[in-house]
Amino acid sequence: MWMQDHLKKKPLKTNKGCLLSLVLLIMSMLNISVYAHPKDMQQTIYFESDTLSYNNETKLGIYQGHIKLTQGSGVLTADYATSYADQTGQVTKIIATGNPACYRALIFPNRPKLIATGNTIYYYPQKDSLEAVGNAEIVQGQNHVKGPQINYDFKKKTVGSPISKEGHTQILIAPLQPLSS
């Protein structure tokens, strides 16, 4: 509850480009990088839903109701999703919508799971990246990033938020806690 109240406070006006640079600098200094376990991206993607339609010619899949996509430790849940694949059948993009759509993954051993939520989540398994759009939020332990759109790249270990007319991005970075053995 404290986090919600804290994020509702009006921040100081600042240049969004400088703010984004500052956020990325602070996150890199505190080693709050986000990347999925490399083995996850090589694993099969499993879809579950109430209904589905898949066109083998166009490689387009449409999924409705109680969607659960699993790849390694990563789980994407949503109300509606569309998958796109290349001609070899490799999934290249998944667009998931929900109230909210949610992606959870164990990014680092011995650390809390990363949880990304948004009205829409664009997941790119081959590029190892994700975009949460509309009421977007990423939480890992006590660290929070909240804004209209949040992107992160598992390979480059970066998180960012583009300039948006929908609002500004807020970040809360908790002090690093020692790892427990």
Side-chain angles (χ1 to χ4, degrees), residues 2-143:
W2 171 84
M3 179 61 195
Q4 290 173 343
D5 293 337
H6 181 74
L7 290 177
K8 288 180 184 175
K9 291 181 182 177
K10 206 169 199 161
L12 296 172
K13 291 196 180 240
T14 184
N15 179 309
K16 290 187 181 193
C18 290
L19 180 61
L20 179 57
S21 298
L22 179 63
V23 165
L24 292 174
L25 175 66
I26 291 170
M27 291 182 83
S28 66
M29 287 173 23
L30 293 177
N31 195 24
I32 304 172
S33 55
V34 288
Y35 66 95
H37 193 279
K39 291 181 184 177
D40 283 357
M41 298 305 159
Q42 299 168 359
Q43 294 188 21
T44 302
I45 299 175
Y46 296 96
F47 286 93
E48 295 178 31
S49 64
D50 292 341
T51 65
L52 71 91
S53 172
Y54 184 79
N55 184 320
N56 199 40
E57 277 189 38
T58 63
K59 309 296 185 203
L60 178 72
I62 298 173
Y63 312 87
Q64 293 181 317
H66 302 98
I67 295 162
K68 182 178 178 184
L69 172 149
T70 306
Q71 184 181 28
S73 72
V75 177
L76 176 63
T77 57
D79 300 322
Y80 181 87
T82 305
S83 67
Y84 303 85
D86 61 20
Q87 288 305 311
T88 66
Q90 293 293 314
V91 176
T92 57
K93 177 170 70 171
I94 298 164
I95 302 173
T97 59
N99 194 15
C102 181
Y103 178 83
R104 290 180 169 85
L106 181 61
I107 305 302
F108 296 109
N110 303 318
R111 296 275 189 207
K113 280 189 174 185
L114 178 128
I115 302 168
T117 59
N119 296 341
T120 304
I121 291 182
Y122 298 85
Y123 178 54
Y124 303 94
Q126 292 182 341
K127 294 180 181 177
D128 297 344
S129 67
L130 179 141
E131 299 170 8
V133 180
N135 298 311
E137 186 170 11
I138 294 179
V139 177
Q140 187 175 23
Q142 296 180 2
N143 299 306

